[in-house]
Amino acid sequence: MLWEALWRLVGLLTDAGPTAMLVGAASVAGVLLLTALAASALLDSRAVANPPVSRAEMRDRARRTGVPRHRDPDAPGRTRPRGPTWSFVAA
């Protein structure tokens, strides 16, 4: 449907004189402007609906949902985590 409308617009602009081309360009610019305004209004409404969350609220939410706390293994005072070791088997 979009291609059909675009094809019709191109056909009208090629058949018409310079004034029709100006009207066509103005209508395309108007549609683009309305699209940009609608998109900005949509994004603004999403920002109002989802306010930023503080770190304390995020920690509390993670604690309630059961997400484990990840700690830095390279922090000072912590021993280095060891991976599984291979034991040699006598053949």
Side-chain angles (χ1 to χ4, degrees), residues 4-15:
E4 191 174 320
L6 182 64
W7 188 253
R8 183 169 287 183
L9 178 65
V10 168
L12 288 174
L13 291 178
T14 55
D15 290 341

Side-chain angles (χ1 to χ4, degrees):
M1 184 170 148
L2 179 67
W3 290 110
E4 191 174 320
L6 182 64
W7 188 253
R8 183 169 287 183
L9 178 65
V10 168
L12 288 174
L13 291 178
T14 55
D15 290 341
T19 57
M21 290 178 71
L22 182 64
V23 169
S27 65
V28 169
V31 167
L32 288 176
L33 180 66
L34 285 175
T35 305
L37 289 174
S40 67
L42 181 65
L43 290 176
D44 286 342
S45 67
R46 284 187 184 172
V48 169
N50 298 328
V53 180
S54 70
R55 288 185 184 199
E57 290 175 0
M58 288 172 51
R59 273 194 304 266
D60 186 43
R61 185 181 303 167
R63 192 177 313 117
R64 282 183 286 149
T65 57
V67 177
R69 184 173 178 195
H70 301 287
R71 297 186 178 161
D72 183 15
D74 296 326
R78 292 184 59 99
T79 59
R80 219 33 214 151
R82 304 275 180 217
T85 58
W86 293 92
S87 60
F88 293 105
V89 178

